[in-house]
Amino acid sequence: MAEFFQNIFDENTLRFFAEAPFAVWETLYSTAIATLLAYAIGLPLGVLLVAGENGRIVKVPSAVMAALNTVVNLLRSVPFLILMVIVIPLSRVLLGTSVGTPASIVPLVVAAAPFVARIVEGSLRELDPGVLEAAQAMGCTPWQIVTKVMLPECRPSLLNGLTTSTITILSYGAMAGAIGAGGLGSMALMKGYQRKMQAMLWGSVVLLVILVQIIQSIGTALSVRTDRRINTNQGKKRRNQL
């Protein structure tokens, strides 16, 4: 035990504190950009998987729906590390390199977009079918049903899904350190584990845990704030107390 603590509190500790801020920045910006791009692809795809099912809201050929479901399932079936290696040529084409934090964003988006699509699909399926039927009876267009009914009504669940997706992408980014991406994952794997720098390893783990806790807390708070059911019940309790 004494040797363990001696290995931690050595000169590598100072090196960790010097490199940690930039590693945290790399992790945050790659996660933010990958999440944004993944939702730019996955959100419309998730909406289409619900709205186009059996011509429910939008008439989409069954062959197209089957192809979309197959592609989503295939991409979700491939483990992230393997998918990351497969996508390396695409990173080279788009960015001119397959190493570094920017290059890791490409496989992050490819892996996360189908995951986001399924998360969005699951959230939208929680909507009461009667609400959609009422909107259609009122003569709402498909665009109005999606933007004015489906997305607003499912906002709390969508925010929970956004939180889950962001944390998942953060964990994917940490795993990307195994093939040369930057950030806390690279610090933990390339320096902490391979070079036996205990301060780098455990410090990176602690920072990743802290980031996950912050993201989860913010996401939960936003979800609760936008959930009308919770707010309505709290309002009733306050009125009863008065």
Side-chain angles (χ1 to χ4, degrees):
M1 183 64 69
E3 183 180 356
F4 173 78
F5 283 105
Q6 185 178 1
N7 290 333
I8 290 181
F9 296 105
D10 56 11
E11 67 275 6
N12 291 328
T13 303
L14 297 177
R15 185 174 177 181
F16 165 74
F17 284 111
E19 298 182 10
F22 184 69
V24 170
W25 162 247
E26 283 187 314
T27 299
L28 289 178
Y29 95 75
S30 62
T31 300
I33 294 176
T35 302
L36 180 63
L37 294 177
Y39 262 83
I41 300 171
L43 179 61
L45 183 56
V47 171
L48 184 60
L49 290 174
V50 176
E53 185 180 38
N54 299 324
R56 192 177 181 187
I57 298 172
V58 181
K59 293 183 179 180
V60 181
S62 58
V64 174
M65 293 298 299
L68 289 176
N69 277 286
T70 300
V71 171
V72 170
N73 291 334
L74 285 175
L75 290 176
R76 289 196 62 199
S77 301
V78 182
F80 176 68
L81 285 176
I82 297 175
L83 181 63
M84 194 163 46
V85 173
I86 296 174
V87 178
I88 283 178
L90 180 60
S91 299
R92 288 201 187 103
V93 171
L94 296 177
L95 302 176
T97 180
S98 60
V99 179
T101 303
S104 68
I105 294 176
V106 177
L108 284 176
V109 174
V110 173
F115 177 79
V116 168
R118 289 302 186 196
I119 289 286
V120 172
E121 179 187 6
S123 297
L124 297 180
R125 290 193 185 280
E126 297 177 2
L127 182 63
D128 185 357
V131 176
L132 294 178
E133 294 174 359
Q136 290 173 326
M138 293 173 61
C140 295
T141 64
W143 176 254
Q144 289 174 327
I145 292 175
V146 171
T147 58
K148 303 295 185 181
V149 179
M150 294 177 68
L151 295 179
E153 288 294 324
C154 298
R155 188 178 302 158
S157 180
L158 289 171
L159 287 173
N160 280 329
L162 174 60
T163 303
T164 302
S165 300
T166 304
I167 293 174
T168 300
I169 293 172
L170 178 65
S171 66
Y172 283 169
M175 286 188 287
I179 63 167
L184 293 172
S186 177
M187 181 181 290
L189 293 172
M190 307 300 291
K191 297 179 180 179
Y193 177 73
Q194 293 187 0
R195 299 183 186 177
K196 309 296 183 182
M197 297 179 180
Q198 298 296 326
M200 292 285 187
L201 176 60
W202 293 106
S204 300
V205 171
V206 170
L207 289 177
L208 285 170
V209 170
I210 292 174
L211 290 178
V212 169
Q213 294 302 318
I214 293 174
I215 294 171
Q216 184 64 63
S217 299
I218 294 174
T220 300
L222 291 175
S223 178
V224 170
R225 257 184 111 174
T226 57
D227 195 332
R228 292 182 297 179
R229 296 170 299 179
I230 296 177
N231 295 330
T232 301
N233 293 333
Q234 289 178 347
K236 289 181 179 179
K237 289 180 180 179
R238 291 175 183 173
R239 287 195 294 270
N240 292 334
Q241 291 174 355
L242 295 175

